Amino acid sequence: MKRNLLLAAMACVGLSAIHPAQAEDLTGTLKKIKETNTITIGYRESSVPFSYLDDKQKPIGYALDLCYKVVDAVKAKLNLPNLKVGMQPVTSANRIPLMQNGTIDMECGSTTNSVKRQEQVSFGDNYFVTSVKVVVKKNSGINSLSDLNGQPIATTSGTTSVQLIKENEKGSKIDFKTIYGKDHAESFLLVANDRAKAFVMDDILIAGLVANSKDPQDYKFLPEVLHTEPYAIMLRKDDPEFKKVVDDTMVKVMKSGEAEKLYNKWFMSPIPPKGVNLNFPMSPELKEAFAHPTDAGSK
């Protein structure tokens, strides 16, 4: 009897040594991926340059390149070299429900990592930091928020970005007239046509509008940052095993310089489909995020 138990124990040890991956007690997303041999990525169709469709309707972008690094890490961890990658388009309205119900395993777009959202989902380490800033024409004579006193300022209907000017020390005592555009493109056009002296919005969204304008060299950002928000890969909540894979991957690409190379590819070089260069240098805030990776959300 004892001899049979000993042989059984030795057999179990042998099997564990031969198949280490099978010995792991996988949970959550990793267990789902292992059982289905598929990882499903949620992507945006028009979040340039983070996650969007090229002229062949293929999802591409900075966020997706980072997510493919995670896919490689999952392949290695689960010993699934032929892991299938499913692609699922998502919107601002359905991205969280599709994450929660298991349709997607990670969302790779331009989703803000906020404390409020962390009540419903989780996030990997932040891979971008967007800043609410003000763009003006270089020949406007405006070099600071204080120079906007008495000037017309454009913003987009339904947004609150212009209110942040009053919350900044340099803008707290100035008066200005707000002109609303129906969308970001129309708001920017108000500045291009000299109906407004400035436009307030997320800097990366402004950068895209400037890059695609008739005369990109005519514009500049004011130095003041009105608010900052981090973007990160969105994950299911309470899944520490998969989150660790994502975080470890982000730390590796950030510390090795790979993330900076990807940044230069998408923000400082011509990108598909039109070959436009956003010419958007890395901010001090993003440099800090790369130097000290964190999943902290904005308030």
Side-chain angles (χ1 to χ4, degrees):
M1 181 67 176
K2 290 182 178 180
R3 182 172 179 275
N4 290 338
L5 289 174
L6 179 60
L7 289 173
M10 290 175 66
C12 289
V13 172
L15 286 172
S16 297
I18 296 172
H19 303 291
Q22 294 182 12
E24 295 183 49
D25 186 18
L26 297 174
T27 61
T29 300
L30 287 180
K31 181 179 180 180
K32 173 177 177 285
I33 293 170
K34 182 75 173 181
E35 291 175 347
T36 62
N37 193 41
T38 302
I39 182 169
T40 304
I41 293 175
Y43 70 92
R44 301 298 294 270
E45 295 182 305
S46 59
S47 290
V48 181
F50 299 93
S51 179
Y52 65 105
L53 298 174
D54 65 10
D55 53 351
K56 296 179 181 178
Q57 299 301 293
K58 176 186 176 183
I60 60 173
Y62 170 69
L64 285 169
D65 278 0
L66 289 170
C67 281
Y68 292 140
K69 299 287 185 182
V70 175
V71 172
D72 289 341
V74 172
K75 286 180 179 179
K77 180 175 179 61
L78 300 182
N79 190 26
L80 294 174
N82 298 315
L83 178 66
K84 298 176 183 177
V85 180
M87 303 299 294
Q88 171 69 45
V90 299
T91 66
S92 296
N94 68 19
R95 58 191 168 185
I96 290 180
L98 290 179
M99 178 63 67
Q100 292 175 324
N101 70 18
T103 300
I104 60 175
D105 298 314
M106 57 180 177
E107 191 260 351
C108 311
S110 54
T111 298
T112 297
N113 172 12
S114 68
V115 171
K116 184 173 181 61
R117 282 188 178 140
Q118 287 177 5
E119 296 174 2
Q120 304 179 74
V121 291
S122 184
F123 290 90
D125 287 336
N126 302 321
Y127 57 68
F128 188 79
V129 180
T130 186
S131 300
V132 177
K133 300 188 74 174
V134 181
V135 68
V136 299
K137 282 189 172 180
K138 290 180 180 177
N139 64 5
S140 65
I142 297 172
N143 299 302
S144 175
L145 287 180
S146 57
D147 296 330
L148 291 172
N149 190 42
Q151 301 294 340
I153 300 176
T155 194
T156 304
S157 296
T159 67
T160 58
S161 298
V162 73
Q163 299 173 12
L164 296 171
I165 293 177
K166 287 290 188 179
E167 297 175 13
N168 186 279
E169 183 180 357
K170 291 184 179 180
S172 61
K173 297 181 179 180
I174 68 173
D175 292 314
F176 53 83
K177 178 184 178 182
T178 303
I179 303 178
Y180 292 95
K182 65 180 180 180
D183 55 29
H184 299 328
E186 185 175 284
S187 297
F188 178 74
L189 195 60
L190 292 170
V191 178
N193 293 338
D194 297 315
R195 291 184 57 198
K197 288 293 185 180
F199 173 38
V200 188
M201 190 48 58
D202 290 2
D203 55 2
I204 185 57
L205 298 178
I206 293 175
L209 292 165
V210 169
N212 285 283
S213 68
K214 182 180 178 181
D215 300 297
Q217 71 281 355
D218 289 353
Y219 303 91
K220 69 177 182 180
F221 283 109
L222 296 186
E224 293 86 2
V225 174
L226 303 181
H227 192 247
T228 58
E229 296 180 346
Y231 295 170
I233 297 173
M234 187 170 69
L235 313 167
R236 262 181 290 284
K237 193 173 176 63
D238 300 324
D239 191 355
E241 192 174 32
F242 184 54
K243 177 171 165 52
K244 185 178 187 306
V245 175
V246 175
D247 288 345
D248 288 349
T249 302
M250 288 296 102
V251 169
K252 180 180 178 181
V253 298
M254 290 175 184
K255 296 290 187 180
S256 68
E258 286 183 88
E260 184 174 357
K261 289 180 180 178
L262 290 176
Y263 183 93
N264 290 333
K265 170 185 173 182
W266 291 102
F267 295 87
M268 299 296 294
S269 306
I271 60 174
K274 298 180 180 180
V276 171
N277 187 343
L278 295 181
N279 193 26
F280 193 74
M282 190 179 297
S283 67
E285 292 82 8
L286 185 55
K287 289 180 181 178
E288 172 64 18
F290 280 7
H292 303 96
T294 176
D295 63 357
S298 62
K299 296 181 180 180

